Amino acid sequence: MKNFIKNFKLADVIDLVFINMLSFLIFFVWVKFFNKNILVSILISAILLVVFNLLRTFLKTKKKTKQTISKNLEADIEQYMLSLLASTKQETGEFFMEVLKNKSPTLNKKDNIIYLPDTTCVIPYFETQELNLEFCLKNIKKIKKEVLKVVFLCVTCNPKTKNFLEQLKVKEVKVYQKNEIYFNLLYPNNHYPEIMFEYSKNNKFKLKELLAISFNKKRAKSYFLSGTLIFFASFIVRHNFYYVFMSSLLFFFALVCLMKKETSTNNNGSLL
């Protein structure tokens, strides 16, 4: 009971009331458009509202867990990559030697190229954030003839460069970027770089800024009042599809404003 009182917020209750009211109005606007009986429209809209709330609760719980994991994981991967970028070529080579030892204890390393016993070699590249094409070509040229597969490890790679390298006929070439490195090497072997840099990530995208402004919580009232005005106008106008559509759209915008605050590829494959 104490926890309930502690977590109780009047603003959350008000938001919940308005969310349900707006959802009901959206359903009612369209149900009444097809069914002129007001009582039947109210009943159907109420049923749809119950279904909507059940579905919303289910998706909210599922999505919240998924988003928390993905955001934390993304931050961890970025920090691991920063540590590798800050390391010397020798340090990154030794680190991946330790990682790969869990798969194959017998490894050889020459010129920072890690040779596995099954005609495969792994070449880490963390001198720059983006994989360098010239670096790849020079290393492919000098690796042993018996090596049939080359795996480059990097933070990112230009799609054209990646496609070009993986189309080469001289060797089978694979380019593993940060997410693939994590899921195919670090996570399966439970071996991670020491985190050297911690940072507060603050991404700003123009589209996100536009959406944030358009669906600011303070705009919910304006959308609601405009939608209500158009909704009542639909009772007067004879051909009222446009009014029904616009009022439900504005109610939806208000709903998004109120619900807004409630809101890496995992390959699980083998590197080799």
Side-chain angles (χ1 to χ4, degrees):
M1 185 67 180
K2 290 182 178 179
N3 290 333
F4 174 79
I5 295 173
K6 184 178 180 180
N7 295 325
F8 178 84
K9 292 181 180 178
L10 182 60
D12 291 338
V13 175
I14 295 173
D15 285 349
L16 183 62
V17 170
F18 271 99
I19 286 170
N20 281 277
M21 183 176 69
L22 287 167
S23 301
F24 177 82
L25 284 173
I26 292 171
F27 295 138
F28 181 72
V29 163
W30 285 102
V31 173
K32 188 183 176 301
F33 179 76
F34 293 103
N35 187 339
K36 301 304 179 183
N37 189 311
I38 294 180
L39 291 177
V40 174
S41 299
I42 291 174
L43 179 61
I44 295 174
S45 300
I47 294 172
L48 291 173
L49 181 63
V50 172
V51 175
F52 169 74
N53 275 297
L54 291 173
L55 183 62
R56 178 169 157 260
T57 302
F58 172 76
L59 293 176
K60 182 182 173 183
T61 303
K62 187 175 180 181
K63 187 176 181 180
K64 186 177 180 181
T65 303
K66 186 177 179 181
Q67 284 183 337
T68 302
I69 294 173
S70 63
K71 285 181 180 179
N72 291 338
L73 184 56
E74 182 182 4
D76 288 343
I77 293 174
E78 290 292 340
Q79 289 174 339
Y80 294 146
M81 294 303 111
L82 288 176
S83 297
L84 291 171
L85 286 170
S87 303
T88 64
K89 182 186 288 189
Q90 183 179 356
E91 287 172 340
T92 55
E94 290 174 354
F95 170 77
F96 284 106
M97 278 282 288
E98 291 297 320
V99 172
L100 291 168
K101 277 182 182 179
N102 290 327
K103 182 174 181 62
S104 177
T106 55
L107 299 172
N108 293 313
K109 184 164 75 76
K110 182 179 180 182
D111 296 331
N112 216 46
I113 300 174
I114 303 170
Y115 292 93
L116 282 75
D118 60 348
T119 68
T120 300
C121 75
V122 177
I123 306 177
Y125 178 83
F126 293 92
E127 279 70 49
T128 59
Q129 187 170 5
E130 186 172 302
L131 184 63
N132 182 278
L133 177 61
E134 291 78 7
F135 170 87
C136 297
L137 295 176
K138 290 175 182 177
N139 278 274
I140 291 172
K141 181 181 178 181
K142 71 180 182 182
I143 59 177
K144 299 176 181 179
K145 291 182 179 179
E146 59 268 23
V147 173
L148 302 178
K149 182 176 181 179
V150 184
V151 180
F152 287 99
L153 308 179
C154 62
V155 179
T156 60
C157 181
N158 184 288
K160 290 183 179 180
T161 300
K162 185 176 187 295
N163 183 65
F164 174 79
L165 290 170
E166 294 184 346
Q167 294 299 319
L168 291 176
K169 294 182 179 180
V170 61
K171 303 281 185 183
E172 180 186 355
V173 180
K174 293 291 181 183
V175 176
Y176 280 9
Q177 301 176 73
K178 56 185 180 181
N179 287 347
E180 293 164 310
I181 292 172
Y182 176 84
F183 287 112
N184 294 325
L185 281 176
L186 306 184
Y187 179 75
N189 295 295
N190 194 30
H191 197 85
Y192 308 95
E194 180 183 355
I195 294 178
M196 302 179 186
F197 308 98
E198 293 186 6
Y199 67 102
S200 178
K201 194 171 182 181
N202 184 24
N203 287 332
K204 292 183 179 179
F205 300 100
K206 290 183 179 179
L207 179 60
K208 286 188 176 182
E209 289 177 350
L210 179 62
L211 291 174
I213 294 171
S214 300
F215 296 109
N216 187 289
K217 191 174 178 181
K218 293 180 180 179
R219 292 181 177 269
K221 183 179 178 181
S222 299
Y223 288 134
F224 172 70
L225 293 176
S226 300
T228 302
L229 180 63
I230 295 175
F231 171 63
F232 282 114
S234 69
F235 286 91
I236 304 170
V237 181
R238 184 175 180 181
H239 301 289
N240 61 356
F241 176 81
Y242 170 78
Y243 291 87
V244 170
F245 174 77
M246 286 305 300
S247 63
S248 61
L249 184 63
L250 288 167
F251 287 147
F252 176 73
F253 286 168
L255 184 64
V256 171
C257 292
L258 291 174
M259 294 178 63
K260 186 181 176 184
K261 68 172 185 177
E262 296 178 7
T263 1
S264 12
T265 305
N266 186 343
N267 296 317
N268 287 329
S270 172
L271 172 68
L272 315 171

